[in-house]
Amino acid sequence: MSPFNTRLNRREFLRQTVAFSALTAMSSGAILEAQGDAPTAPPPDPSAPHMFLVGDWGTDKYIDQQVSVANAMKQWVDVRKIHPEALFLLGDNWYGDMGIGYSSPRWQKQFEQMYPTSHFPGPAYAVLGNHDYEYKISSKVDMQLEYARHAQGTRWTMPARWYTFTYPKQNPVITFICLDSNLPGTKSDPFPWSVTMSHKHKDEQNDWFRTELAKPRTTPFVAVIAHHPLYTNGIHKDNKLLIHEWDDQIRQAKVDFWITGHDHDLQHLEFAGHPTSFVISGGGGAELVDWTIAPEKRGPYGGKVLGFTDMEFRQDGIILRHIDQNAKTLHAFRKSPGGKVDLLLPLATG
Ligand SMILES: [Fe+2]
């Protein structure tokens, strides 16, 4: 195991998870089971639907790192005989300049060919990160929306800055709510290219998000997909602004997952009494970043590694696996309908 991979030792883990169980059983019905005898993760089921999630991939400096993660994604498909239904691109899709319009060759090199249709024929649902908002030559936000609308035959899917859909179309099991988390105030540096969404868009999105969460639930699972984490052990720290805006709402609506990038690592955080599992998959290619809270102190998992996340839809729930650039599973857990979380020991065979 890499020295950067951090896993709770058994005693720390038991202490934390037993506390989770007692508190969450009282407050939310979600129980994170003690993992003294944690079950081993089942091998990925080729007959089950899978979706891959990857953030912070569109680097202009570390292309070799993006290639290594893309190769691991392809390897995971080939070796495990998986047929991914979709990709989720978790923002910071494009670092640096992309020219005018959407004619940059980077679209072909770093998206269309990097994640080829041979392995990923489904839609690639994208959300916007802070680097997507950088205004240098032109608006990379407008460019990405345009590319989704007009690029011939592309899988790039971004119908708006925020959007929702259920999956699968027949008898859906999950509602995805894709947000633009670049709220005004999330960027405080003085550079002229550091822009965020407007206050008008923020208000529109908040009205929309509130309405979506208030609708009667039609699927066993609800996942929010965005770029910025509310909680992270990484360099960006817990985001007070986003916690203030959204945490109460997702608690009340019992949102199952808040899945993001932004910190360039892989994380999974659970909090006593909180119904939401916080997942960070920001290891798509950009430079790795340091911890501000040691993952041993707040977990259950943090890995300072490049990699991606496999979301598998099974009869008994959803299994998420954090997978590194060598296509090795570092961390896995299952979330059952009703909110129960079971940590799973990664397969020794990867
Ligand atoms: Fe970011």
Side-chain angles (χ1 to χ4, degrees), residues 56 91-92 95 129-131 227-228 236 261-264:
D56 307 82
D92 286 356
Y95 293 75
N130 49 300
H131 284 277
H227 180 63
H228 294 80
H236 290 104
H262 199 40
D263 273 328
H264 303 164

Side-chain angles (χ1 to χ4, degrees), residues 130-156:
N130 49 300
H131 284 277
D132 301 305
Y133 264 91
E134 284 172 351
Y135 194 101
K136 291 188 176 176
I137 295 176
S138 64
S139 165
K140 290 189 283 186
V141 174
D142 291 345
M143 177 200 67
Q144 294 181 52
L145 290 163
E146 281 291 296
Y147 191 82
R149 265 184 229 122
H150 298 303
Q152 188 102 37
T154 188
R155 294 156 293 154
W156 187 266

Side-chain angles (χ1 to χ4, degrees), residues 5-292:
N5 296 336
T6 311
R7 190 171 293 282
L8 301 182
N9 67 39
R10 175 172 288 213
R11 183 180 299 171
E12 290 166 332
F13 189 72
L14 280 169
R15 192 167 58 230
Q16 186 176 31
T17 51
V18 166
F20 281 168
S21 294
L23 285 167
T24 55
M26 284 188 293
S27 58
S28 75
I31 300 173
L32 186 71
E33 289 199 329
Q35 296 295 307
D37 53 355
T40 301
D45 180 355
S47 68
H50 289 251
M51 295 181 178
F52 290 3
L53 304 111
V54 62
D56 307 82
W57 50 273
T59 171
D60 58 346
K61 295 193 180 78
Y62 307 95
I63 309 288
D64 55 333
Q65 297 192 161
Q66 187 193 3
V67 168
S68 74
V69 177
N71 285 341
M73 293 163 69
K74 289 186 277 186
Q75 189 182 337
W76 189 251
V77 166
D78 289 338
V79 172
R80 298 294 179 180
K81 310 276 188 261
I82 289 168
H83 307 284
E85 299 280 317
L87 295 177
F88 276 95
L89 306 172
L90 303 173
D92 286 356
N93 306 319
W94 297 114
Y95 293 75
D97 295 339
M98 287 292 284
I100 308 284
Y102 57 82
S103 59
S104 169
R106 293 181 67 190
W107 278 104
Q108 285 301 317
K109 186 178 171 202
Q110 285 187 264
F111 170 62
E112 302 286 0
Q113 291 161 18
M114 186 70 70
Y115 312 108
T117 53
S118 57
H119 290 71
F120 312 106
Y125 298 103
V127 295
L128 294 162
N130 49 300
H131 284 277
D132 301 305
Y133 264 91
E134 284 172 351
Y135 194 101
K136 291 188 176 176
I137 295 176
S138 64
S139 165
K140 290 189 283 186
V141 174
D142 291 345
M143 177 200 67
Q144 294 181 52
L145 290 163
E146 281 291 296
Y147 191 82
R149 265 184 229 122
H150 298 303
Q152 188 102 37
T154 188
R155 294 156 293 154
W156 187 266
T157 304
M158 189 187 279
R161 287 170 155 89
W162 54 88
Y163 55 96
T164 183
F165 65 98
T166 55
Y167 172 85
K169 283 202 173 110
Q170 300 276 333
N171 303 317
V173 296
I174 189 164
T175 302
F176 288 107
I177 300 178
C178 302
L179 292 183
D180 183 344
S181 56
N182 295 279
L183 300 191
T186 50
K187 262 288 186 197
S188 56
D189 62 54
F191 302 117
W193 54 81
S194 281
V195 294
T196 62
M197 71 199 299
S198 66
H199 285 276
K200 177 172 172 288
H201 279 154
K202 176 195 163 189
D203 292 344
E204 284 175 15
Q205 177 176 246
N206 268 349
D207 288 347
W208 174 86
F209 187 40
R210 217 172 285 118
T211 305
E212 290 301 317
L213 290 181
K215 288 178 179 172
R217 199 188 259 236
T218 59
T219 54
F221 296 99
V222 174
V224 171
I225 308 289
H227 180 63
H228 294 80
L230 302 190
Y231 302 99
T232 172
N233 293 335
I235 200 164
H236 290 104
K237 300 182 181 174
D238 294 352
N239 191 317
K240 292 193 179 96
L241 178 69
L242 300 190
I243 291 168
H244 174 73
E245 289 286 343
W246 289 329
D247 195 29
D248 280 351
Q249 291 184 61
I250 65 170
R251 279 178 193 266
Q252 281 172 23
K254 292 192 166 44
V255 166
D256 295 283
F257 302 98
W258 186 279
I259 305 177
T260 68
H262 199 40
D263 273 328
H264 303 164
D265 49 40
L266 303 176
Q267 297 186 48
H268 169 207
L269 302 180
E270 297 283 346
F271 297 97
H274 204 307
T276 308
S277 298
F278 294 91
V279 176
I280 298 177
S281 187
E287 77 280 11
L288 297 174
V289 295
D290 289 324
W291 303 118
T292 52

